[in-house]
Amino acid sequence: MKDAALDENAVRALATVESFTRGREYFRRGAVSDLERRGERIVAEVEGREFTSYAVTIELHDGGVAATRCSCPYDWGGACKHIVAVLLKYKETPGAVAERPALADMLGDLDREALMALLVKRAGQDPGLEPWLETELVSGMPGVTGKPPAAIDSKLVRRQAERLLSGGYARRHRWDDVGAVDEEAFAALIDKAKPFLDIGEGRNALKILEPVMEALVPAWREQADFDETLHEFFPPLGQLIAEAVLMSDLLLEERDDLMVRLDVWQGMLDDYGLDACLQVAVDALEQGWDEIGLDDVLAGRSRTWPPSGRSDWTTERLTQARLRVLDVSGRIDAFLYLSSAASRHGDSTAMLVRLGRIDEAVGRAHKWFRSSEETLQLARLLMDAGHVDAALDLAEWGASLAPESNRLAGAASLARWLRDNAGLLGRKELALMAARRAFEASMSLEDFEVAQTLAGADWIELRAGLLTSLAAARHAWERTKIYLSEGMIEDAVRSVDLEMIPGNPSDTVLLRLADIAHASHPGWVVDIAERMAGGIMEAGQSRHYELAAQWLEKAAFAYDAAGRLEDWIARIDFLIEKHRRKHKLRPLLEALRLDVGTL
């Protein structure tokens, strides 16, 4: 099955430059196995380091990627390298994809009795299936029934949350593999409240969120000392509870009861340093829609929120919850007034796009946007809504702004989006401008190479400009790598920060540079190689002794190129004597001594 929208540019857009680059390396070395497609779902295994395999699942829609999951712990934004590797293999080697029937197709012809027998049989083998089904049936199945149930059993929801938190049948493990929590399934249980929030059913949402929180707080306290990610559930849970409270007409005793429980839960979290995680829910209960001055803002009679003009984290979160409720309830004018008064210009422009008020959205962006992230988000919304020219014009404006030093990553993402989309639409001049901006923001080899591909016959001129920018940049993580790729050995040598040596002795860029530069810069190679090898040998890092020998071999070639072979012999003899008690290292050094005649 061909997926026209799933090309390399689409894969690049899903990940950071580093994740894409490493994912491509994983794909090229054959780390992806068991690649299957079932309907709109791709599954595969990816071999990581130290023989660890990760399970990847990719959901497709309209030929593109709708959602991705990987069992690795990566959470730095965008798709991880394993997902990139799977997508590249899927795209580049269609013959390696095993086509399997989708689950719906396999079950479609079964009658009720056969399907029930199959579920009962599986439930006998999987202790988690029966309680999961029970919770599904009592907490809403909008995708199946088309409407939520009349009542939700909070006791069953809490029981299922406790089962998941106990780790009895988890798929994802913590570092110690003991009592692991199935975080993916737990997140799915929380998500069951969202369809109710989408239709303004705050009470039903609370019947899911409250028992989930009631189970989570004590479970987390038991493992707080070695928790790595479970605490991350508290802020979004507090946010969802705030939304549910704001859209529910709770009785006074109901509000008091929930307030007491929120205070108890937050107090238990305070003991472990998780301050104010649930404060937004507390604020929603205490202030609701009655906060002084809020009515004036919602009616457009005031242009500043909060009235003091000063906002903190919890105030921002409460404003976000209020905007969400205003949106769901269809109070669009109030939404626009509040988002504008609170300087949430990304929210207001997104709403304007939804309303078809494109010129107004773009004008507001030009007036108020100060970050590349906001510009990129709006440009994507415009593109998705079919306003292609407006999206490209906005992105071009955003890419022309000088980014702050701490926002270079956002500037690079915006420029890449503009580069890729302008290129696809045949806007070469715009694509080249964006390619240059992307490189100036990232200083990465990946963006350098993409610019070369786009430039074609214009590459010579563009290359000169990119290299000038590279030379002038204060910080460029891949500076040496780029010079090396361009055969600029002198510049590559000068770009190495000697104060950082020894740094990472397995740095493949430095290893390659030492290989190439040993004849033209023998003294430099000797210095670098001996520092790298010395760091390993002096520290007694036996697992890296072979790497130390690799560095010393490069030193040997440099000594020979400089006509100093006798100095090398004296040096290796000294090292053999110095490290004679290191039984794993000494044979490697002696082998280098014996290889002198082959130089």
Side-chain angles (χ1 to χ4, degrees):
M1 189 179 297
K2 186 176 180 181
D3 299 298
L6 190 56
D7 58 9
E8 185 169 306
N9 286 332
V11 179
R12 289 180 189 274
L14 294 171
T16 64
V17 171
E18 183 179 1
S19 290
F20 180 84
T21 302
R22 298 181 69 184
R24 185 170 56 184
E25 292 173 357
Y26 270 52
F27 159 60
R28 288 175 175 172
R29 69 175 173 83
V32 181
S33 62
D34 298 329
L35 181 58
E36 295 181 359
R37 175 167 180 166
R38 292 183 179 272
E40 291 290 273
R41 176 177 296 178
I42 300 170
V43 297
E45 293 285 326
V46 181
E47 183 181 342
R49 295 181 177 179
E50 299 179 357
F51 307 105
T52 301
S53 291
Y54 299 104
V56 172
T57 302
I58 299 166
E59 303 287 347
L60 303 176
H61 181 68
D62 290 340
V65 175
T68 61
R69 293 189 300 277
C70 181
S71 59
C72 78
Y74 175 83
D75 62 355
W76 291 95
C80 68
K81 59 191 176 186
H82 309 110
I83 291 170
V84 170
V86 171
L87 286 170
L88 290 177
K89 182 165 184 176
Y90 174 75
K91 181 182 73 72
E92 299 291 346
T93 58
V97 183
E99 294 285 348
R100 299 283 188 267
L103 181 60
D105 295 335
M106 290 191 292
L107 300 179
D109 294 333
L110 294 180
D111 57 28
R112 178 184 175 89
E113 289 73 18
L115 184 57
M116 288 179 61
L118 194 62
L119 285 172
V120 171
K121 180 180 179 180
R122 180 60 186 172
Q125 302 169 350
D126 182 356
L129 180 59
E130 193 168 346
W132 176 82
L133 281 171
E134 186 177 34
T135 306
E136 287 287 314
L137 294 171
V138 301
S139 58
M141 299 174 63
V144 177
T145 66
K147 59 182 180 180
I152 295 174
D153 191 332
S154 295
K155 292 181 180 179
L156 287 176
V157 174
R158 178 175 177 177
R159 193 180 308 162
Q160 177 67 353
E162 289 171 343
R163 289 190 185 100
L164 295 171
L165 292 167
S166 69
Y169 37 86
R171 293 188 303 275
R172 182 177 177 181
H173 301 288
R174 288 196 313 258
W175 63 272
D176 57 357
D177 285 340
V178 177
V181 174
D182 190 339
E183 295 183 14
E184 184 177 330
F186 187 70
L189 181 60
I190 296 172
D191 286 345
K192 299 180 79 58
K194 294 180 180 179
F196 296 106
L197 295 173
D198 289 340
I199 59 175
E201 287 283 347
R203 283 183 173 274
N204 274 330
L206 286 173
K207 290 179 180 179
I208 295 171
L209 298 171
E210 288 185 53
V212 166
M213 183 70 81
E214 202 166 9
L216 176 61
V217 174
W220 178 79
R221 277 169 56 96
E222 291 180 0
Q223 52 187 287
D225 290 339
F226 50 85
D227 167 60
E228 293 181 334
T229 58
L230 195 58
H231 64 280
E232 296 173 1
F233 283 108
F234 290 116
L237 262 173
Q239 193 74 24
L240 293 175
I241 291 174
E243 292 179 15
V245 165
L246 289 170
M247 63 177 59
S248 302
D249 187 15
L250 297 177
L251 300 175
L252 180 59
E253 56 267 28
E254 292 175 320
R255 299 174 68 87
D256 289 343
D257 177 66
L258 181 53
M259 179 66 79
V260 168
R261 284 190 286 163
L262 283 168
D263 284 339
V264 171
W265 292 332
Q266 185 59 67
M268 296 170 72
L269 298 180
D270 287 343
D271 293 340
Y272 290 85
L274 296 185
D275 302 335
C277 282
L278 309 182
Q279 188 61 44
V280 64
V282 173
D283 290 345
L285 276 170
E286 288 183 338
Q287 301 169 18
W289 298 96
D290 300 326
E291 195 169 354
I292 296 174
L294 183 58
D295 280 345
D296 287 337
V297 170
L298 297 180
R301 295 189 295 267
S302 175
R303 297 184 178 182
T304 302
W305 186 258
S308 67
R310 297 187 299 273
S311 184
D312 56 22
W313 182 60
T314 54
T315 302
E316 287 288 334
R317 294 177 67 201
L318 183 57
T319 298
Q320 180 183 339
R322 285 171 171 155
L323 288 171
R324 166 76 170 142
V325 176
L326 291 171
D327 185 5
V328 169
S329 61
R331 298 176 61 187
I332 302 305
D333 287 341
F335 178 100
L336 290 173
Y337 288 140
L338 177 58
S339 58
S340 179
S343 298
R344 296 184 65 92
H345 303 298
D347 291 323
S348 62
T349 53
M351 176 60 76
L352 290 170
V353 171
R354 285 169 52 189
L355 297 173
R357 294 157 61 176
I358 305 305
D359 290 343
E360 190 176 347
V362 172
R364 189 169 292 192
H366 280 270
K367 182 177 181 180
W368 296 110
F369 279 10
R370 297 295 180 268
S371 74
S372 299
E373 292 85 354
E374 286 180 310
T375 306
L376 177 56
Q377 182 181 23
L378 182 58
R380 284 173 168 163
L381 289 174
L382 289 167
M383 182 70 76
D384 292 342
H387 302 283
V388 176
D389 289 339
L392 294 180
D393 290 345
L394 178 68
E396 181 179 8
W397 168 80
S400 68
L401 301 177
E404 298 176 11
S405 59
N406 62 339
R407 291 188 175 272
L408 289 176
S413 296
L414 174 63
R416 290 184 194 118
W417 183 90
L418 177 59
R419 175 197 69 195
D420 296 342
N421 282 279
L424 289 172
L425 294 168
R427 302 273 298 272
K428 183 176 179 180
E429 184 177 347
L430 181 58
L432 290 179
M433 181 280 289
R436 179 164 187 162
R437 292 291 186 183
F439 176 75
E440 289 172 346
S442 71
M443 293 294 165
S444 72
L445 177 60
E446 185 76 19
D447 285 325
F448 188 87
E449 292 176 340
V450 173
Q452 181 177 7
T453 301
L454 282 173
D458 299 321
W459 173 236
I460 294 177
E461 181 180 354
L462 181 59
R463 176 182 181 272
L466 298 184
L467 291 175
T468 298
S469 298
L470 180 64
R474 291 184 60 188
H475 305 287
W477 179 53
E478 295 191 333
R479 193 194 312 269
T480 305
K481 193 174 184 179
I482 294 169
Y483 284 143
L484 188 55
S485 72
E486 291 299 290
M488 301 169 64
I489 307 305
E490 180 68 34
D491 297 273
V493 168
R494 286 204 309 266
S495 71
V496 176
D497 186 353
L498 295 179
E499 293 183 1
M500 301 298 292
I501 305 297
N504 176 14
S506 60
D507 188 325
T508 56
V509 175
L510 279 181
L511 282 163
R512 185 177 166 214
L513 179 57
D515 267 336
I516 296 174
H518 75 268
S520 58
H521 297 76
W524 180 86
V525 171
V526 166
D527 183 24
I528 294 291
E530 291 194 348
R531 287 202 217 179
M532 287 292 197
I536 296 172
M537 294 185 296
E538 295 297 332
Q541 300 174 0
S542 60
R543 66 185 183 280
H544 297 311
Y545 282 163
E546 290 189 1
L547 182 58
Q550 289 181 40
W551 277 112
L552 289 175
E553 184 179 42
K554 299 180 191 315
F557 281 112
Y559 272 111
D560 184 45
R564 299 172 53 199
L565 200 53
E566 291 184 359
D567 291 341
W568 163 247
I569 294 173
R571 181 62 178 163
I572 194 65
D573 285 342
F574 169 78
L575 292 174
I576 291 171
E577 175 60 24
K578 181 179 180 179
H579 299 289
R580 65 184 184 279
R581 298 184 183 278
K582 297 175 181 175
H583 66 278
K584 291 185 178 180
L585 175 61
R586 182 170 177 171
L588 297 173
L589 299 178
E590 290 174 341
L592 288 171
R593 177 66 170 82
L594 293 173
D595 288 342
V596 170
T598 65
L599 295 178

